[in-house]
Amino acid sequence: MIKILMVEDDAVIAEFLGKYFAEKEYVLTNLIRPSQGLNAIKKEQFDIIILDLTLPEIDGLELCKQMNSLTTTPIIISSARSDINDKLVALEHGADDYLAKPYDPRELEARIKTVLKRTGKIAQDETTAFVVDEESSQIFHKNQALTLTPAEYGMLKIFLENPNRSISRADIANSIDSMRFDSGVESINVLIGRIRKKIEKDPSKPELLKTIRGIGYRFAYKV
């Protein structure tokens, strides 16, 4: 069970994320004021902290600095402020990651898992160690960025977004902009082969990216 402390004064966001993480069996405690957050980390142990930057009492950057002086708990900044200076200052003040709003809660969950794996809070699992960073158009596998062409990135992203679902070659081709003019069966098979070489232990005996005869492919991904 992962315990999250969030300091967020937007009630709508707090309620939305609270419901999302409750379904994922996370325990999320949301507080509005920085002073409440500082008191909370003195009394209770959390696995990760999520901070907004625009808060009452003091700015989130200052709160990040103060929290980092009191605890080794990883901190993720979640903010609508996209200024690169804010991001740099947050990282200098001890933040482990910076996620600009708006975002899909699945990306926040993926960032949480990546930070916790990097800090050793949770074990690295070979089948769940994929993180998609849409901002940089990169996919990380076991904390390492995969070297992917645009078509490979698009294809693997589709599989990660549709775990354990059989996807036809036509659906794959129609979903990837870079393949719409080169969507033959052979082209897709070549891409599948290249991706397997980058993610499978033994590409000749794929355990993750499986061929479903007569349909297409399925990514056996444990969410």
Side-chain angles (χ1 to χ4, degrees):
M1 188 74 70
I2 296 172
K3 294 175 63 178
I4 303 170
L5 172 64
M6 184 166 70
V7 184
E8 169 65 69
D9 66 344
D10 187 318
V12 174
I13 292 176
E15 182 179 5
F16 176 69
L17 290 177
K19 290 179 179 178
Y20 176 84
F21 283 114
E23 292 176 355
K24 299 286 185 175
E25 297 186 347
Y26 289 66
V27 176
L28 185 146
T29 299
N30 183 68
L31 302 172
I32 296 174
R33 296 186 175 279
S35 57
Q36 295 172 318
L38 290 169
N39 288 332
I41 62 173
K42 293 174 184 177
K43 298 176 181 178
E44 190 174 351
Q45 182 65 43
F46 295 92
D47 295 304
I48 197 153
I49 299 168
I50 302 171
L51 298 182
D52 187 21
L53 290 188
T54 307
L55 295 167
E57 298 181 339
I58 63 173
D59 186 75
L61 292 173
E62 176 61 26
L63 177 60
C64 178
K65 181 178 180 180
Q66 291 186 26
M67 283 188 159
N68 191 53
S69 70
L70 295 172
T71 180
T72 58
T73 301
I75 298 172
I76 295 178
I77 299 296
S78 160
S79 176
R81 285 158 49 177
S82 57
D83 190 317
I84 185 62
N85 290 325
D86 283 337
K87 184 173 183 178
L88 293 174
V89 172
L91 296 173
E92 289 171 358
H93 284 351
D96 294 83
D97 202 351
Y98 192 108
L99 182 58
K101 297 176 181 176
Y103 53 79
D104 189 302
R106 293 176 298 177
E107 183 177 3
L108 176 58
E109 183 184 9
R111 298 287 188 102
I112 289 171
K113 288 181 177 178
T114 297
V115 169
L116 293 180
K117 287 169 183 173
R118 188 167 64 236
T119 57
K121 291 281 186 179
I122 59 176
Q124 183 80 349
D125 183 89
E126 189 167 331
T127 60
T128 59
F130 290 89
V131 176
V132 178
D133 186 337
E134 295 189 9
E135 186 175 343
S136 64
S137 296
Q138 286 186 303
I139 295 177
F140 294 83
H141 180 38
K142 293 189 283 188
N143 290 336
Q144 298 295 319
L146 297 172
T147 302
L148 302 169
T149 65
E152 290 167 359
Y153 167 80
M155 181 180 289
L156 184 52
K157 182 172 179 285
I158 289 171
F159 285 118
L160 290 170
E161 291 174 344
N162 297 274
N164 304 307
R165 174 187 163 198
S166 297
I167 303 176
S168 69
R169 292 180 175 85
D171 285 341
I172 292 172
N174 291 332
S175 299
I176 304 174
D177 290 338
S178 58
M179 288 193 62
R180 287 180 180 166
F181 299 104
D182 186 19
S183 57
V185 171
E186 188 58 34
S187 297
I188 292 176
N189 290 344
V190 168
L191 280 176
I192 291 288
R194 294 205 308 238
I195 291 173
R196 281 173 171 162
K197 289 179 180 178
K198 297 174 182 181
I199 67 172
E200 299 279 5
K201 280 184 180 178
D202 182 353
S204 66
K205 299 177 182 178
E207 298 179 357
L208 296 173
L209 190 45
K210 298 178 178 291
T211 300
I212 307 301
R213 192 175 300 277
I215 299 177
Y217 299 95
R218 177 171 57 84
F219 198 75
Y221 183 46
K222 183 180 177 183
V223 179

